Amino acid sequence: MKLRPLADRVVLKQNEAEERTSSGIFLTASAQEKPEVYEVVEVGPGGMVEGNEVEMIVKAGQSVLVGKYSGSKVKLDDVEYTIVRQSDILAVIE
């Protein structure tokens, strides 16, 4: 199954949490803080959204920074995705 976002929405997959600190100490699952860095999986076509023309700037494969509580979580084929509007993306990581 595949998600195809509509309008100005973007499907994201969260990057894995670090399992060890920079000094080499392993962290338990409860101590691992999930990063707010995501990989763009699919991008909607853009177009007219609430009376404004939206051009999609992000592209599949890019890494982006998203606010902690942004978007809607969806689980599909045992993979968790987050769907956000392009305007919820804070920055593209280069």
Side-chain angles (χ1 to χ4, degrees):
M1 227 182 245
K2 185 176 177 183
L3 290 172
R4 186 173 56 96
L6 303 176
D8 67 335
R9 290 185 173 74
V10 180
V11 178
L12 306 172
K13 182 178 174 189
Q14 190 167 32
N15 291 347
E16 298 296 320
E18 292 293 324
E19 293 182 9
R20 63 169 67 180
T21 64
S22 58
S23 61
I25 299 172
F26 283 96
L27 299 171
T28 63
S30 61
Q32 295 173 8
E33 190 170 315
K34 288 187 176 181
E36 304 310 318
V37 176
Y38 292 78
E39 178 186 345
V40 177
V41 177
E42 285 286 331
V43 178
M48 293 299 286
V49 177
E50 298 176 6
N52 298 316
E53 182 71 28
V54 176
E55 178 186 345
M56 300 307 285
I57 298 169
V58 296
K59 295 176 180 31
Q62 288 183 316
S63 292
V64 295
L65 185 65
V66 178
K68 189 169 191 149
Y69 301 106
S70 297
S72 300
K73 306 287 186 199
V74 177
K75 194 167 190 175
L76 182 66
D77 296 333
D78 294 328
V79 178
E80 188 172 300
Y81 297 100
T82 302
I83 301 175
V84 299
R85 290 186 178 272
Q86 179 175 254
S87 60
D88 292 335
I89 296 173
L90 304 175
V92 175
I93 300 172
E94 296 179 345

